Amino acid sequence: MPKTTDEYLRRIGGLNVLFAASSVGLLLITGLMVYDDYNRSWKDYQKRFIRLEAEKTRAQIKSAEETVDQKGMAALQEELKEARAALDQRGRELETARKRLRDIETANYRDDLSFRTIKSTFDARKFDYEEARHDKASSTAAYEKEMDDLEKRLEVLRVTLLEHAKDKTAAETSLRDLTSQRDAAQKKIDDLNAGVDRLQKKLQKVAPRGFMRVAIDLLNAPVLDFVAPTLRIQQVVLDQNPIDIHFTRIPRADRCQTCHLAVDKAGYEDAEEPFRTHPHLDLFAGGSSAHPVDRFGCTPCHRGRDRAVEFNYATHMPDGTAQREDWGKKYGWERDHYWEQPMLARSRIEAGCLKCHQNVVSVPKAPRLNRGLELLDRVGCYSCHKIEGWNDRPKVGPRLNRIIAKATPEWMSRWIRNPKAFRPSTRMPRIFGLPNNQAPDDVDREEAEILGVVAYLTDKAEALAYPRLPGKGNAARGEKLVKSVGCMGCHAIEKDEAAPGVLQARNRREVADPVAWERRFGPDLSRIGSKAKPEWIYQWIRNPRAYNPDTRMPDLRLTPEEALDITAYLMTLTDDSPVAERASAPRPHPEARDRTLLAYLSQREPPDDAKASLAKMSDREKDVLLGEKTIGRYGCFGCHLIPGFEKTPPIGVDLSEEGSKPADLLLFGYAPIEHTSPAWFFQKLKLPRSFDEGHVAEFYDRLRMPQFEFTDEEAGALTLVLQGLTKEKVPLESIRRLSARDQAIEAGRRIVRDYNCHGCHILEGAGGAIRQSLVRNFMAEGRTEDEATSMAASIAPPIIDGEGAKVQPEWLFGFLKAPSPIRPWLAVRMPTFHFSDAQASTLVHHFAARENTVFPFQTFDQVPPRGAALQAAVKMFSPDYFNCWNCHQQGARKPQGPPEGWAPDLTLAHERLNPDWIAHWIANPQKLMPGTKMPTYYDPEDMKGSAPPDVLGGDPKRQIDLLRDYVFTLGQKRAANMGTQP
């Protein structure tokens, strides 16, 4: 090493070593940096998917090869070999034919080029000639002569080209004649191998070999992967569906497909994630679906960070504790607190549908979300909370402005204290006796509040006195009427339907509900005799709207005797539960009442003035005032019409954008739950006041939401709805825009749900809950379950799918306004709902829109059968053929046999039914109404063979059309005058 001198301040050798080491270190660090940037997890997913796709393609190739007819292939190969041998023997002819075709094509190309060149020159001279003639120039004659020469040459070339085309056709025909046997054999082999060849090409593209494999590896290598890599980020840019980040709306760039490569590809339904096909590919993600991934992306529905390509950064959310622990081990998953819209967990994906599917009763393929929407309607969440889209909905609870005519103050106080102690299935939530009010002072105060509410309701209620009953009914007849006339479509008598102990267990939500959801529309009648006064029951069932003009309870058009019998039966349904399980009546607590009132009054006036005001009141006035304050605090007026609170706004927070509220803005308190929005929603629905645990607050500052006793399934469904209520602004093209037909269908669906039409009728494949009660009635008479089910189906309200194609709009409108018996022998009655004209028109339009039929006007020009046609129609109606009058009523003439086997009056068909529907019904009744007792006379698979051969030449279409015309004219005066009745 040279010694340092004045020229060098450091040892040069040492500096060289240091520089070399730092250069190597920098090179290593740069290499590691490049590798770290290159080595992304999504690339590993794409490599794994390529291998998976290659394996799948190889399996498909193997399967396709196994399906190839090997014997047929061998025969074709032999045929091809023979054809080639024969063609080789004619080699000189083949070469001559090919040479002749080449010579013709060469000459044709040369002459065509000459023709085009001369044609362009001719067009130019034509332009010059027209200009010179217009200007009257001396060169006009020269141009004209040149044009004539060019035109002659063009004509010669045109004829020559036609000759070339003729010669070419003849040469190609000659060549095909020589090669036809070989080409035909080769085509058969290619057709047989078409599937295998297609898959082989796909495999070559997915997993290339040789040079292509090396080239692709180089293109995917570090540093070189900027050129044209096959491993690359896949993204869908959604300019019209931006994402809100810190009050700035930027275009959404979905990169989910970078890892989820098979999301829109069929065939990977059973693959592991992230290589699985999206469920319901016909509806989601698929190119021909309603939500193609290239237009809708993924995050608008699933949420999450759109630009992320790493598992954790994408804010995946686990679905339950087990998955959370599994992800923690596999990916080191932790919840991202910095992204306000984390991905929806798998079981909560349906929440993403709500923002686009607005103003609809139900969302396709979203059963849990639909359950939540129906629950929201049933329990009336919108009564306390403002929810956009649920404005102006009717109150879910009964009117209380006439309550003293219905129930006693003693019953009212017990009911208010704990509604489920009297009726376990009630939708009325519990307000009092909840965990955040358990101190001795709280118990006394709540009892005083209950008595105050009763005092207020009785003091403000309208005096309505009913006369005494006009007689005494028969309870046995009343029971039969209740269980057969139609009451059980909306109501249940749980004590007759549930096993011992089930009612009490259901109050603790330990068992599944044995009664259909539709029969929860009205209250359980098990204890109605201990609640309502007999005079009120009698007047209510005769005319519900006289007591409550807004009620959805229909009028069954009961006679006074029927109403008395039903009243007598209902009064026998009393509270027979053990005394220990009943809610005891609250006791007066004057001190607690005064203390509570003083707390209310002191919030608006000085304490001394509050005490003075309180001292001037009588006990009754204090009770009424405390009742008013209690009703106002708990928001009872949200569900019930209560005098004095008609214009009071709801007490709950606005939930219209609750799904967008960050979890940090929710009060979790000391509740032992995960700090996420869905966990908070679920806990709030299950135990709404549990967030008060550990807090010290005056009673008026504590949580007030009542206890609904939701099951886990119900709370989960409502949580979905809350998560779907977001502030996100969806572009117009993404929102499901309802056509006029769709609007008519949805408006009708709303009325169908509001009036529980599904309780009696099967519509859109659901409903008909009343059949459960009818089956139970027949089984009580000793029938087997199969017999009872069959008999119930024959006398139950009809399936009304296809009603729009079946009946005439004018008839349906009149029937909905004022129902009249179609099958008078049946016990079940279509009630009178007192629909307004608008409601009836909406329902008629709904059924017409569902079937794409004409609305509102239809004209039918059916020609009555005459002469031989009339005789043929009567012949087919006769007992020797279809024997129609054996089942169908004919005016006043009734068929023989029991009523459950009768069919509707055909003399009313002309004013009720659509003639086209009559024809379809005769041709195949089972297709229109599966399970109907109407016989199928024409075999759908052999119409000609099943038609009577001696009528109209055995032509089934002519027979069906004749029967349609004949049925449609029955009952009309002109038909009667012609003597068409047999």
Side-chain angles (χ1 to χ4, degrees):
M1 289 286 186
K3 296 182 179 180
T4 60
T5 63
D6 293 339
E7 187 177 354
Y8 300 101
L9 298 178
R10 299 287 187 274
R11 288 190 175 187
I12 299 302
L15 287 176
N16 290 339
V17 171
L18 179 62
F19 180 76
S22 62
S23 298
V24 172
L26 180 61
L27 180 63
L28 290 174
I29 291 172
T30 303
L32 289 173
M33 182 184 68
V34 171
Y35 180 76
D36 183 67
D37 179 70
Y38 171 80
N39 187 32
R40 300 297 183 90
S41 59
W42 60 265
K43 292 185 178 180
D44 180 59
Y45 284 129
Q46 292 196 1
K47 292 174 183 176
R48 287 170 56 192
F49 182 72
I50 289 173
R51 291 196 295 270
L52 177 65
E53 196 169 15
E55 291 172 5
K56 186 176 180 64
T57 305
R58 291 190 185 99
Q60 290 174 336
I61 291 173
K62 183 177 179 182
S63 177
E65 288 175 342
E66 290 175 352
T67 60
V68 173
D69 183 1
Q70 297 301 325
K71 291 183 179 179
M73 177 63 73
L76 289 174
Q77 292 286 2
E78 185 63 28
E79 182 181 340
L80 178 62
K81 182 179 178 181
E82 293 175 359
R84 284 174 175 171
L87 188 60
D88 290 342
Q89 292 178 359
R90 304 178 67 183
R92 185 179 297 278
E93 293 180 50
L94 180 63
E95 183 59 31
T96 302
R98 286 174 177 170
K99 182 177 183 304
R100 181 167 177 262
L101 181 60
R102 286 197 300 270
D103 292 343
I104 293 172
E105 289 176 342
T106 301
N108 183 75
Y109 175 79
R110 181 190 63 240
D111 294 339
D112 181 67
L113 182 61
S114 298
F115 180 86
R116 293 175 185 276
T117 303
I118 296 172
K119 181 69 168 57
S120 63
T121 304
F122 174 81
D123 291 340
R125 293 296 175 269
K126 182 180 178 183
F127 176 81
D128 294 337
Y129 168 74
E130 290 173 348
E131 288 289 317
R133 190 178 63 175
H134 180 270
D135 296 336
K136 298 180 180 179
S138 58
S139 58
T140 302
Y143 284 140
E144 183 175 8
K145 183 177 182 304
E146 186 177 359
M147 283 175 56
D148 290 341
D149 293 340
L150 291 172
E151 192 169 13
K152 291 176 182 177
R153 292 172 62 188
L154 283 174
E155 179 61 21
V156 171
L157 286 172
R158 187 184 71 80
V159 173
T160 302
L161 288 172
L162 290 174
E163 292 292 337
H164 288 330
K166 178 181 177 182
D167 294 342
K168 183 180 178 182
T169 302
E172 289 175 340
T173 302
S174 176
L175 187 61
R176 278 199 301 271
D177 290 342
L178 291 170
T179 62
S180 60
Q181 186 177 359
R182 182 203 63 183
D183 293 343
Q186 185 63 54
K187 185 177 184 305
K188 291 177 183 178
I189 292 174
D190 292 342
D191 290 343
L192 205 57
N193 276 326
V196 176
D197 292 342
R198 177 179 56 80
L199 291 170
Q200 290 286 4
K201 292 177 182 178
K202 179 182 177 182
L203 181 61
Q204 181 60 27
K205 184 178 180 181
V206 172
R209 297 177 181 179
F211 172 76
M212 286 300 299
R213 177 73 267 171
V214 174
I216 289 175
D217 289 341
L218 285 174
L219 291 173
N220 289 323
V223 181
L224 298 177
D225 60 354
F226 73 95
V227 182
T230 59
L231 304 178
R232 57 181 179 268
I233 289 177
Q234 309 285 340
Q235 71 176 16
V236 177
V237 179
L238 306 172
D239 295 321
Q240 302 301 319
N241 197 345
I243 189 167
D244 192 348
I245 299 180
H246 304 308
F247 310 104
T248 302
R249 293 172 67 79
I250 62 175
R252 193 185 298 262
D254 265 7
R255 295 176 177 172
C256 306
Q257 279 186 279
T258 301
C259 298
H260 295 272
L261 294 158
V263 68
D264 58 343
K265 296 179 175 65
Y268 296 90
E269 289 77 10
D270 298 325
E272 63 175 344
E273 289 291 6
F275 309 128
R276 189 173 299 166
T277 303
H278 197 293
H280 305 296
L281 201 60
D282 59 329
L283 188 61
F284 304 105
S288 60
S289 71
H291 308 82
V293 70
D294 59 348
R295 217 183 91 208
F296 281 81
C298 301
T299 58
C301 297
H302 291 264
R303 302 184 191 173
R305 190 178 272 113
D306 55 325
R307 285 167 168 76
V309 289
E310 301 293 336
F311 183 86
N312 288 340
Y313 192 59
T315 68
H316 287 88
M317 291 298 289
D319 200 359
T321 305
Q323 192 173 59
R324 185 185 303 112
E325 294 175 353
D326 182 52
W327 284 4
K329 295 175 183 177
K330 286 184 178 179
Y331 312 109
W333 181 89
E334 291 182 356
R335 188 166 68 88
D336 190 336
H337 294 269
Y338 302 103
W339 191 257
E340 293 184 355
Q341 294 295 323
M343 200 176 299
L344 293 167
R346 186 179 184 87
S347 63
R348 303 190 183 106
I349 290 173
E350 293 175 14
C353 305
L354 196 56
K355 62 189 174 187
C356 295
H357 290 264
Q358 302 170 4
N359 302 317
V360 296
V361 176
S362 60
V363 179
K365 302 292 184 181
R368 293 187 67 223
L369 179 63
N370 292 334
R371 170 71 162 156
L373 294 172
E374 191 166 5
L375 272 169
L376 189 151
D377 264 342
R378 287 289 180 93
V379 301
C381 304
Y382 54 80
S383 301
C384 289
H385 302 276
K386 178 184 176 183
I387 306 176
E388 193 63 36
W390 278 267
N391 306 320
D392 303 321
R393 295 289 293 146
K395 294 181 181 293
V396 296
R399 288 185 170 212
L400 301 181
N401 59 330
R402 296 175 174 178
I403 187 63
I404 56 175
K406 176 180 181 181
T408 64
E410 292 74 22
W411 181 88
M412 292 163 57
S413 62
R414 292 178 56 193
W415 172 261
I416 294 170
R417 184 172 192 169
N418 186 4
K420 290 187 180 293
F422 179 82
R423 182 183 293 146
S425 63
T426 183
R427 297 194 295 272
M428 167 85 173
R430 185 175 185 178
I431 296 174
F432 299 101
L434 297 181
N436 65 338
N437 287 287
Q438 290 297 317
D441 289 347
D442 293 331
V443 174
D444 294 345
R445 172 181 52 80
E446 287 195 337
E447 293 208 338
E449 287 176 327
I450 293 170
L451 292 175
V453 172
V454 174
Y456 182 86
L457 293 177
T458 54
D459 185 75
K460 302 298 182 182
E462 175 186 343
L464 183 64
Y466 289 119
R468 297 183 62 181
L469 296 179
K472 186 176 181 180
N474 184 296
R477 290 199 303 264
E479 179 179 10
K480 186 176 181 180
L481 280 168
V482 166
K483 294 183 178 180
S484 61
V485 77
C487 307
M488 308 309 287
C490 293
H491 298 278
I493 302 177
E494 291 188 336
K495 70 174 188 178
D496 293 342
E497 301 182 22
V502 167
L503 297 182
Q504 291 74 25
R506 190 183 303 121
N507 192 29
R508 301 188 296 271
R509 318 304 283 180
E510 295 173 0
V511 297
D513 194 339
V515 179
W517 175 252
E518 293 85 357
R519 294 179 57 212
R520 294 278 176 229
F521 189 77
D524 168 36
L525 301 177
S526 295
R527 300 173 177 86
I528 187 68
S530 295
K531 171 186 177 181
K533 300 174 182 178
E535 295 81 9
W536 180 87
I537 292 177
Y538 176 80
Q539 297 293 340
W540 171 256
I541 60 179
R542 289 215 64 198
N543 186 6
R545 290 190 170 228
Y547 177 81
N548 181 3
D550 300 323
T551 184
R552 297 176 191 172
M553 166 84 173
D555 180 0
L556 284 167
R557 304 180 299 281
L558 300 171
T559 65
E561 294 76 15
E562 290 174 331
L564 281 172
D565 292 341
I566 291 175
T567 302
Y569 168 64
L570 294 180
M571 290 306 298
T572 66
L573 303 178
T574 57
D575 187 2
D576 56 358
S577 59
V579 176
E581 295 179 4
R582 302 182 193 179
S584 59
R587 297 171 298 162
H589 294 279
E591 293 181 0
R593 176 197 63 195
D594 293 351
R595 188 168 56 250
T596 305
L597 277 175
L598 188 61
Y600 278 121
L601 295 174
S602 297
Q603 292 177 345
R604 296 194 175 185
E605 53 185 302
D608 291 340
D609 293 348
K611 291 179 182 178
S613 299
L614 193 62
K616 296 177 183 178
M617 299 181 190
S618 65
D619 287 343
R620 179 65 177 177
E621 289 174 333
K622 292 177 181 178
D623 287 339
V624 171
L625 179 59
L626 181 57
E628 180 181 0
K629 296 293 185 183
T630 303
I631 291 171
R633 178 168 181 262
Y634 289 109
C636 310
F637 53 85
C639 293
H640 303 278
L641 175 65
I642 300 177
F645 291 90
E646 291 84 355
K647 296 183 179 180
T648 308
I651 64 170
V653 299
D654 189 340
L655 297 180
S656 299
E657 298 179 353
E658 192 71 6
S660 293
K661 184 181 290 186
D664 295 338
L665 298 182
L666 300 172
L667 176 63
F668 286 87
Y670 301 102
I673 61 173
E674 184 183 19
H675 283 208
T676 61
S677 296
W680 190 90
F681 295 152
F682 186 85
Q683 180 76 2
K684 186 70 174 176
L685 291 162
K686 289 284 290 183
L687 298 169
R689 301 191 189 178
S690 60
F691 299 106
D692 263 349
E693 184 178 349
H695 288 283
V696 178
E698 295 295 332
F699 75 92
Y700 46 76
D701 287 330
R702 298 173 193 167
L703 295 173
R704 296 172 286 172
M705 180 170 167
Q707 182 82 32
F708 283 89
E709 299 289 353
F710 290 125
T711 64
D712 288 352
E713 179 266 335
E714 291 169 340
L718 284 170
T719 297
L720 279 180
V721 176
L722 291 172
Q723 286 188 270
L725 297 172
T726 67
K727 65 181 179 182
E728 187 174 351
K729 305 300 181 185
V730 181
L732 186 62
E733 56 266 27
S734 295
I735 294 176
R736 187 198 169 195
R737 286 170 284 179
L738 302 179
S739 64
R741 176 177 175 269
D742 293 332
Q743 292 175 5
I745 292 174
E746 291 298 332
R749 280 179 179 153
R750 173 62 63 189
I751 296 177
V752 166
R753 174 178 288 185
D754 285 349
Y755 287 88
N756 195 36
C757 302
H758 283 110
C760 289
H761 298 282
I762 293 177
L763 177 61
E764 296 187 271
I770 195 174
R771 298 180 181 218
Q772 298 175 355
S773 178
L774 298 176
V775 169
R776 192 175 294 106
N777 292 345
F778 286 123
M779 291 179 69
E781 296 174 0
R783 312 276 185 174
T784 66
E785 184 174 355
D786 290 342
E787 290 174 339
T789 302
S790 176
M791 294 176 68
S794 67
I795 67 171
I799 298 171
I800 53 177
D801 281 317
E803 190 75 2
K806 177 180 180 179
V807 299
Q808 301 174 28
E810 290 185 3
W811 176 89
L812 183 56
F813 178 86
F815 181 77
L816 292 170
K817 292 284 289 182
S820 56
I822 299 174
R823 300 172 178 84
W825 53 89
L826 298 183
V828 181
R829 303 177 189 176
M830 169 70 180
T832 300
F833 286 95
H834 298 287
F835 289 128
S836 66
D837 287 352
Q839 288 175 314
S841 294
T842 298
L843 282 172
V844 176
H845 196 182
H846 163 80
F847 286 110
R850 287 189 59 213
E851 305 303 323
N852 279 318
T853 55
V854 178
F855 175 85
F857 304 110
Q858 292 184 12
T859 302
F860 307 112
D861 298 321
Q862 303 306 123
V863 179
R866 300 174 183 274
L870 177 60
Q871 293 177 3
V874 174
K875 184 177 183 180
M876 285 190 288
F877 258 64
S878 69
D880 295 334
Y881 288 80
F882 297 158
N883 199 16
C884 304
W885 299 120
N886 184 57
C887 299
H888 284 280
Q889 185 180 350
Q890 185 183 3
R893 189 184 305 172
K894 303 291 190 295
Q896 296 180 353
E900 57 265 23
W902 296 355
D905 187 353
L906 290 184
T907 61
L908 301 178
H910 68 281
E911 62 184 31
R912 173 173 169 253
L913 300 178
N914 187 317
D916 290 338
W917 181 88
I918 296 175
H920 294 314
W921 176 257
I922 295 171
N924 191 354
Q926 291 294 334
K927 180 179 179 181
L928 298 181
M929 189 178 294
T932 180
K933 289 190 174 182
M934 169 77 176
T936 302
Y937 294 110
Y938 294 92
D939 186 347
E941 297 182 359
D942 185 16
M943 296 281 286
K944 178 72 174 178
S946 57
D950 56 342
V951 179
L952 301 179
D955 186 340
K957 185 179 184 310
R958 291 178 61 197
Q959 292 175 3
I960 291 171
D961 290 345
L962 176 61
L963 288 171
R964 173 201 63 195
D965 295 342
Y966 180 64
V967 168
F968 198 75
T969 57
L970 289 172
Q972 296 181 4
K973 288 184 178 180
R974 57 181 179 176
N977 292 336
M978 289 186 293
T980 59
Q981 300 297 332

